[in-house]
Amino acid sequence: MLVTRAVMDITRFGSAEAEYRMWEAHHCGRSLVVVTHLERAELFVEQFALRGLPASIEPA
């Protein structure tokens, strides 16, 4: 639930979408959370890191 809560807080997704992303990452090892511009992506990576969750930016 830590991951679900982090996704909800950082991205403003609803609980169902955040839980889907959490399970996708759990089963597949990764999950595409959002496609956005570079500055916002960097902010998301920083916010996930503050919660102890790894995140990365990949070109679209």
Side-chain angles (χ1 to χ4, degrees):
M1 293 310 289
L2 172 78
V3 176
T4 302
R5 174 53 56 190
V7 173
M8 289 173 62
D9 291 345
I10 294 169
T11 63
R12 303 293 186 218
F13 285 163
S15 60
E17 182 70 18
E19 190 171 332
Y20 174 80
R21 301 297 181 188
M22 183 268 302
W23 282 115
E24 182 179 35
H26 177 75
H27 290 291
C28 301
R30 64 184 351 188
S31 177
L32 176 64
V33 176
V34 66
V35 176
T36 186
H37 57 86
L38 181 60
E39 289 177 356
R40 187 170 182 218
E42 290 171 342
L43 175 64
F44 284 159
V45 168
E46 184 178 307
Q47 290 175 333
F48 278 112
L50 288 173
R51 293 172 185 249
L53 299 171
S56 63
I57 301 172
E58 297 182 11

